[in-house]
Amino acid sequence: MKILVPATSANLGPGFDCLGLSLKLFNEVVIEKANFTSISISGEGSENVFLKKNNAFVRIFNEIYEKLSGKKENFRFIFENNIPLSRGLGSSSAVIVGAIGAAYFMSGFKVEKERVLNEALKYENHPDNIAPATLGGFVCSVVENDKVFSIKKELDSALKAVLLIPNVAMNTEQSRKALSANFSLKDCVFNLSHSTFLTACFLEKKYDLLKLASQDKLHEFKRMQTLPELFEVQKFALENKALMSTLSGSGSSFFSLAFRDDAENLAKKMAQKFSASRVVCVEFDNEGFKIC
């Protein structure tokens, strides 16, 4: 079997831990039954020895497979990683969702996306990345009694994403520690109003209001301070026809959304302006993970 899992961009400014969308940038994993377990990795992380010795995908896959099938078996895992590691583009969620979906398939069970998503919540306790990785599109989610409830909206083909990916990694756990422990009522209301307004903008295709809607007062400023050039990235993107520009997840990548023609031009300008970082222009994904 082969499973493809998309990259994601979470938070989207004010939607801390609850909003995210899916990108056409995929990790691919081929899995075959074998006489002994083997792992090969190409692309992102291929030179990281730790990923072969302690591979999270393999560990989660084996846990779920043994639980479902009641058997311990050996497999060959062939990874082609296209999602940058520790850059705020959902690489860990892609691992979790991919491993669970693959384990269900290889165990002979029907691969139901709702089941995969709720199983993934046991490994990542907020749904902003795992929901779009599973379902595709723009997704808003809540968690109630250890269950994810999500609403998905397919993303318009007239839009594209521009991703600026610095050479500097950001650890999500460390990034969370940098956030304030307490927030004012005013800032909380600001984010509540903007995240709901942002959701409405996507649902109703009010793209001209995304710049307003995507403002945040809970996490972006603190996280961007660790890499101050990101403030300039955001300002430059918004001045060059980005409809919105936000820190992707916990960073260090920056996500900008624009109309298709504007996105191509923005990507070229950003690549020239911020030559130390990688800039890619990608389509949005509306399917979530896929099994071939």
Side-chain angles (χ1 to χ4, degrees), residues 57-74:
F57 185 106
V58 173
R59 174 176 53 81
I60 295 169
F61 174 90
N62 285 335
E63 286 175 6
I64 304 295
Y65 182 84
E66 186 177 347
K67 182 173 73 172
L68 294 174
S69 68
K71 298 182 289 186
K72 286 186 178 180
E73 295 193 77
N74 293 316

Side-chain angles (χ1 to χ4, degrees), residues 21-285:
L21 48 74
S22 181
L23 304 161
K24 282 191 176 179
L25 180 66
F26 299 95
N27 279 357
E28 300 181 12
V29 188
V30 174
I31 304 172
E32 304 168 343
K33 286 192 175 182
N35 293 324
F36 58 90
T37 297
S38 67
I39 298 170
S40 66
I41 301 173
S42 62
E44 300 284 341
S46 59
E47 298 178 0
N48 188 334
V49 177
F50 180 78
L51 289 183
K52 288 188 178 181
K53 289 185 176 180
N54 186 18
N55 190 285
F57 185 106
V58 173
R59 174 176 53 81
I60 295 169
F61 174 90
N62 285 335
E63 286 175 6
I64 304 295
Y65 182 84
E66 186 177 347
K67 182 173 73 172
L68 294 174
S69 68
K71 298 182 289 186
K72 286 186 178 180
E73 295 193 77
N74 293 316
F75 296 90
R76 182 186 182 206
F77 298 89
I78 305 168
F79 295 92
E80 183 180 329
N81 294 335
N82 295 302
I83 305 174
L85 303 175
S86 300
R87 295 298 195 280
L89 291 169
S91 59
S92 61
S93 294
V95 166
I96 294 166
V97 169
I100 295 168
Y104 269 85
F105 183 85
M106 293 298 281
S107 302
F109 281 76
K110 184 179 180 181
V111 184
E112 296 175 341
K113 293 207 167 186
E114 184 178 347
R115 182 173 291 179
V116 170
L117 177 55
N118 282 289
E119 194 75 41
L121 189 66
K122 298 174 184 177
Y123 295 90
E124 186 164 303
N125 62 3
H126 42 89
D128 51 344
N129 279 307
I130 57 173
T134 303
L135 303 172
F138 165 81
V139 188
C140 50
S141 304
V142 296
V143 176
E144 180 74 17
N145 297 325
D146 298 322
K147 184 177 180 181
V148 185
F149 296 86
S150 295
I151 294 176
K152 167 191 167 181
K153 172 71 173 180
E154 289 200 355
L155 288 155
D156 199 322
S157 61
L159 304 171
K160 290 187 80 172
V162 177
L163 308 175
L164 181 134
I165 308 167
N167 292 323
V168 180
M170 278 190 183
N171 179 279
T172 302
E173 187 176 341
Q174 293 299 320
S175 178
R176 280 181 177 269
K177 289 179 181 178
L179 302 182
S180 301
N182 299 291
F183 299 95
S184 69
L185 177 62
K186 183 179 178 181
D187 285 349
C188 290
V189 170
F190 181 96
N191 266 57
L192 282 168
S193 62
H194 282 72
S195 61
T196 53
F197 192 61
L198 180 70
T199 301
C201 286
F202 275 105
L203 295 180
E204 295 297 320
K205 298 187 177 184
K206 300 288 187 180
Y207 303 132
D208 58 317
L209 296 173
L210 285 174
K211 180 179 177 180
L212 167 65
S214 58
Q215 296 178 58
D216 163 82
K217 287 196 174 181
L218 296 189
H219 71 103
E220 276 197 342
F221 183 80
K222 288 275 189 181
R223 285 169 159 168
M224 289 165 65
Q225 279 184 314
T226 64
L227 199 60
E229 54 263 42
L230 293 179
F231 292 103
E232 188 178 359
V233 170
Q234 187 177 48
K235 182 174 182 291
F236 185 84
L238 293 173
E239 288 175 347
N240 286 276
K241 297 191 175 181
L243 296 165
M244 62 181 287
S245 188
T246 61
L247 189 68
S248 186
S250 61
S252 57
S253 295
F254 227 82
F255 163 80
S256 297
L257 180 148
F259 289 115
R260 181 174 292 272
D261 291 343
D262 294 334
E264 299 288 351
N265 292 329
L266 175 61
K268 290 177 184 177
K269 290 180 179 180
M270 291 185 83
Q272 293 171 349
K273 175 81 172 174
F274 306 102
S275 56
S277 297
R278 179 156 62 107
V279 177
V280 294
C281 189
V282 298
E283 305 271 354
F284 290 105
D285 163 68

